[in-house]
Amino acid sequence: MDIKLKSKIKNYLTGIWGIEILIFLFLVPTIFIGYYQALNNEFVEIGAGTFDALLNKEKYIKGMIYYESKDISEYIYANTNNLEDISDIKYDNERFIGPSNYSNIFYILINKKTGEYTTNDQDLFESIPYESKTREEVEKKTEEYLKEYDFVSVKIDNEKINNYYVKINSDNLKKGNIEDYIEIYYRHPSVYFYLIKTESITAKVLIGATILTLILFLKLVVNLLFYRKNLHLEIRVFKNLFYVLKYGLKYKNTRNKILLSFGIAIGVILIYLYLVAGIRNENILVTFLTRYPFKGTLILILIPLGTVLYSLKKSLDISIINDGLKKINSGDFDYTLDDIGEREVRELVENINKIKTGYKIALNEQVRNEKIKTELISSVSHDLKTPLTSIINYVNILNNKNITEQERIDYLRILEKNSRRLQSLIEDLFEVSKLNSGKMKIEKSKLDIISLIYQGVGEYSSLYEEKNIEFKVNSNAEEIFVDLDGKLISRVFENIIVNALKYSLANTRVYIDVIDKENAVEVVFKNIANYEMNFNAEEMFERFARADKSRNSSVEGSGLGLAISKSIVELHNGSINIEVEGDMFKIFIILPKQ
């Protein structure tokens, strides 16, 4: 499972959420009312309750036949004086109905003593021989007929049980010789298929809602005991609803969709209720609406409302994002898009904000590069002009025949010094250009980095002897071999050693720590500066940057040493950083071993 998904699941399980509390508060009374309605009504007593439809379909169908036989029983009893004389309806041909009409309830009344019978089912009437006079023969033929047509029947002996009409009117009826008759009511089970499906769904929903309520209750209790701090009472559904209602009419796109969606939803509800509501036995939803009008109306309202909300939320998010993009496009790079919407929209907002931030950084970098270019041109012009002007001036002086031989020698020495300085500066410029162009090729070999450091210290420590600078090299290993370009890395160490000699306080030490690590070597140079270090450490790696910030400094240098060192280290896939602590100047170089 994805780590991010695991984190989301854990965050959900160890927290209390507003929507859970709302669902729990909604489910508790709903379940109570649901169970009360399902278990406390006349249908439960006769075996036609909601859970009977789920658990025992045959029992449910018999219960419904028993219940729905009330009207036809009332007709029979009214026309036979409570079964005093069934001959009044025996030959009433207008009441004969064929078994193909499954929507009606059929009946047969049988006299227990004489075998006399009457029925409203013509096919059953014709299947029983007229000369059959015994109760057993009539019952046998009836059972065969019911089995042939797959009818479900309810048999009432009028001794232990009466029909539903008699049951509910027993106090007002003269029972007379009712006990002399057997009543059989029957119907095809397909009539109840949709009703069974509706009631089964209701039962399953109640059971599912009960399980969900128990799970929510346990989760709320556990989290109240152990994770009470992780409480989120905000309900996103309502937040989204208010969000749509607040901003939806502001934008033309969403405004039109709101009006159209609500119009269509209302139209669908009206058309469905008025045109289809009469087809109860052929439509599961209409059956449900007829039996549970309040729940059905609530569902009809919530479904289109939820659909409209879901569709409009994304359209509204896009409109708001588009407004934000217009602000950003106008140059307001400080504007940040709000983290809104579902996961996909939030990812879009996050990516747009990242692009904006990256563009802002790139723009600032471009401005900075332009500034550096301007400073570079100014610096190059100054640093090249100074020795070049000196050379030109001294050449003019040398052309003067009135100078002495000693003066000529001194001037030639100055010319040589300035020429070398100019040469060094031009070489450094070419080297920086070559390093930054990516054309520099490095040739690595196994070298002892400690030996390279000692070599640099030995070669340049004699410079600035009057400052009495002492170098201290410390290492946790006698030899550390690394794949390096010896010439280039030596140049790095030389530049840093020379800088340390130039800018260190007199009569101090320069510490060089070499640390052998598992995958890399770290070299740290530390010295006490002879000036106030009020600069940005990162600026020291820029071209022509000098620590003393003065172009008129008596300390010579092109200002390119650290820039060259940084480029060389990065060519070796390493890193170089500067830290300043008071007067302590530190350079950290990390070189990978491979």
Side-chain angles (χ1 to χ4, degrees):
M1 188 181 292
D2 184 67
I3 296 175
K4 190 175 181 181
L5 181 59
K6 283 184 178 179
S7 176
K8 286 183 177 180
I9 294 173
K10 183 180 178 181
N11 186 48
Y12 167 73
L13 293 176
T14 57
I16 301 173
W17 306 85
I19 190 64
E20 290 179 325
I21 297 174
L22 180 67
I23 292 172
F24 181 77
L25 294 176
F26 173 78
L27 285 176
V28 170
T30 302
I31 291 171
F32 178 79
I33 294 170
Y35 277 110
Y36 182 83
Q37 291 178 344
L39 300 175
N40 293 276
N41 56 58
E42 56 187 345
F43 294 101
V44 176
E45 296 177 7
I46 60 176
T50 299
F51 290 95
D52 293 313
L54 176 65
L55 302 174
N56 192 333
K57 293 180 175 59
E58 186 174 354
K59 179 183 177 183
Y60 178 86
I61 293 171
K62 287 185 175 182
M64 288 303 299
I65 293 173
Y66 179 72
Y67 172 79
E68 292 183 345
S69 67
K70 178 182 63 173
D71 292 338
I72 198 165
S73 297
E74 183 179 5
Y75 172 82
I76 294 170
Y77 277 60
N79 285 275
T80 62
N81 193 21
N82 297 333
L83 303 184
E84 286 292 332
D85 185 6
I86 65 172
S87 62
D88 291 340
I89 61 171
K90 182 175 180 180
Y91 300 109
D92 186 359
N93 291 330
E94 293 181 359
R95 296 201 54 79
F96 279 156
I97 304 169
S100 60
N101 191 342
Y102 293 154
S103 62
N104 285 31
I105 292 181
F106 303 103
Y107 70 88
I108 181 169
L109 277 67
I110 307 171
N111 191 304
K112 298 178 183 178
K113 297 177 180 178
T114 66
E116 184 183 9
Y117 68 92
T118 184
T119 179
N120 65 338
D121 185 347
Q122 186 174 6
D123 285 355
L124 176 58
F125 181 79
E126 293 175 353
S127 67
I128 300 174
Y130 182 73
E131 61 273 10
S132 295
K133 293 298 182 178
T134 65
R135 163 191 170 181
E136 289 77 11
E137 288 178 329
V138 175
E139 282 191 270
K140 182 179 179 183
K141 290 291 184 182
T142 301
E143 288 175 3
E144 291 174 353
Y145 176 82
L146 294 176
K147 186 176 181 181
E148 179 183 356
Y149 284 96
D150 295 325
F151 284 111
V152 176
S153 63
V154 175
K155 187 175 182 179
I156 300 167
D157 60 12
N158 283 316
E159 292 178 2
K160 297 180 180 179
I161 184 172
N162 296 114
N163 64 49
Y164 194 73
Y165 169 71
V166 174
K167 179 181 178 182
I168 62 177
N169 295 284
S170 58
D171 295 337
N172 301 320
L173 284 177
K174 294 180 180 180
K175 294 189 177 180
N177 60 346
I178 290 177
E179 293 183 356
D180 292 339
Y181 285 89
I182 295 172
E183 300 175 36
I184 300 176
Y185 297 91
Y186 56 96
R187 204 175 195 183
H188 200 275
S190 61
V191 175
Y192 298 101
F193 285 172
Y194 278 103
L195 191 57
I196 288 172
K197 188 178 292 185
T198 303
E199 293 290 1
S200 297
I201 291 173
T202 303
K204 289 176 182 177
V205 169
L206 275 173
I207 294 170
T210 303
I211 295 171
L212 178 61
T213 303
L214 291 174
I215 292 172
L216 285 176
F217 178 74
L218 289 173
K219 182 177 181 294
L220 291 172
V221 170
V222 170
N223 282 288
L224 281 173
L225 292 175
F226 301 104
Y227 304 102
R228 192 177 300 175
K229 292 182 179 180
N230 193 8
L231 184 64
H232 307 278
L233 295 180
E234 182 183 69
I235 301 175
R236 184 174 293 179
V237 173
F238 290 144
K239 181 182 177 182
N240 290 347
L241 176 60
F242 293 139
Y243 178 80
V244 170
L245 294 176
K246 183 177 180 180
Y247 298 106
L249 297 175
K250 181 179 178 182
Y251 301 95
K252 182 179 179 181
N253 181 36
T254 51
R255 180 169 60 247
N256 293 340
K257 286 186 177 180
I258 287 175
L259 298 176
L260 181 62
S261 298
F262 272 104
I264 292 174
I266 293 170
V268 168
I269 292 173
L270 292 176
I271 292 171
Y272 192 89
L273 290 178
Y274 282 99
L275 298 184
V276 190
I279 318 174
R280 177 178 178 184
N281 290 329
E282 296 183 9
N283 190 291
I284 185 171
L285 181 56
V286 174
T287 303
F288 179 81
L289 291 173
T290 306
R291 190 150 188 174
Y292 304 100
F294 174 75
K295 295 178 184 177
T297 305
L298 186 63
I299 290 172
L300 285 175
I301 293 172
L302 291 178
I303 289 176
L305 179 62
T307 304
V308 170
L309 176 64
Y310 181 79
S311 62
L312 289 181
K313 180 65 171 60
K314 290 196 173 182
S315 297
L316 187 56
D317 289 340
I318 292 171
S319 298
I320 293 175
I321 291 171
N322 191 43
D323 268 4
L325 285 174
K326 288 178 181 177
K327 291 182 181 179
I328 295 172
N329 288 337
S330 65
D332 185 4
F333 295 116
D334 292 326
Y335 178 79
T336 301
L337 291 173
D338 293 331
D339 188 11
I340 58 174
E342 302 302 321
R343 180 175 58 84
E344 298 84 355
V345 179
R346 289 200 304 271
E347 287 180 358
L348 176 62
V349 169
E350 184 180 354
N351 290 331
I352 290 174
N353 284 331
K354 284 181 179 179
I355 292 171
K356 182 211 69 174
T357 303
Y359 183 74
K360 184 178 179 181
I361 292 171
L363 186 62
N364 291 337
E365 188 67 21
Q366 184 178 358
V367 172
R368 180 170 171 271
N369 287 338
E370 290 297 327
K371 181 181 178 182
I372 291 173
K373 286 181 183 178
T374 303
E375 291 177 354
L376 175 62
I377 294 171
S378 175
S379 298
V380 169
S381 299
H382 181 277
D383 284 14
L384 290 177
K385 184 178 179 182
T386 300
L388 185 59
T389 301
S390 177
I391 291 171
I392 293 171
N393 289 337
Y394 282 105
V395 168
N396 290 333
I397 293 173
L398 287 172
N399 286 329
N400 187 347
K401 298 179 180 179
N402 296 325
I403 63 173
T404 65
E405 186 63 25
Q406 184 58 44
E407 287 176 333
R408 188 181 302 279
I409 293 171
D410 292 338
Y411 294 153
L412 284 172
R413 189 178 297 112
I414 295 170
L415 275 175
E416 182 182 9
K417 180 181 177 182
N418 284 328
S419 299
R420 292 188 181 279
R421 182 182 174 190
L422 183 61
Q423 180 185 16
S424 175
L425 182 59
I426 292 172
E427 286 176 353
D428 285 349
L429 280 171
F430 276 117
E431 188 166 2
V432 168
S433 176
K434 190 175 181 182
L435 286 167
N436 290 340
S437 68
K439 296 179 180 179
M440 174 71 77
K441 293 183 180 180
I442 59 176
E443 297 179 1
K444 292 184 178 181
S445 59
K446 287 282 185 184
L447 296 173
D448 180 12
I449 198 168
I450 296 176
S451 297
L452 289 178
I453 292 171
Y454 275 114
Q455 181 180 330
V457 171
E459 188 172 347
Y460 292 97
S461 60
S462 59
L463 296 175
Y464 304 93
E465 288 183 356
E466 69 281 0
K467 296 183 70 174
N468 191 29
I469 304 296
E470 183 181 357
F471 285 85
K472 289 285 187 180
V473 180
N474 301 309
S475 176
N476 60 350
E478 292 184 2
E479 295 179 331
I480 304 174
F481 286 91
V482 187
D483 283 331
L484 301 169
D485 186 313
K487 182 179 179 181
L488 292 178
I489 292 298
S490 294
R491 178 69 187 276
V492 173
F493 294 152
E494 290 167 7
N495 287 340
I496 296 173
I497 290 169
V498 171
N499 277 349
L501 288 168
K502 288 180 183 178
Y503 298 109
S504 289
L505 187 66
N507 300 310
T508 59
R509 294 184 180 89
V510 176
Y511 291 92
I512 306 174
D513 298 326
V514 186
I515 305 166
D516 187 11
K517 297 183 177 181
E518 184 178 354
N519 298 315
V521 178
E522 183 177 17
V523 183
V524 184
F525 292 83
K526 294 180 284 187
N527 66 286
I528 304 297
N530 60 0
Y531 56 90
E532 184 180 356
M533 292 185 288
N534 57 353
F535 54 81
N536 184 342
E538 288 301 316
E539 290 179 357
M540 295 304 298
F541 291 114
E542 301 295 346
R543 298 166 187 172
F544 296 98
R546 296 180 63 175
D548 60 3
K549 296 288 183 181
S550 173
R551 285 280 152 200
N552 298 318
S553 173
S554 59
V555 179
E556 295 182 358
S558 65
L560 294 170
L562 288 179
I564 291 171
S565 298
K566 185 175 188 293
S567 297
I568 292 173
V569 170
E570 289 177 349
L571 275 176
H572 285 78
N573 298 318
S575 63
I576 181 169
N577 297 292
I578 293 175
E579 287 185 8
V580 175
E581 293 182 11
D583 291 335
M584 177 71 75
F585 184 83
K586 301 178 183 179
I587 295 182
F588 296 84
I589 299 173
I590 298 178
L591 294 169
K593 288 184 176 180
Q594 293 181 350

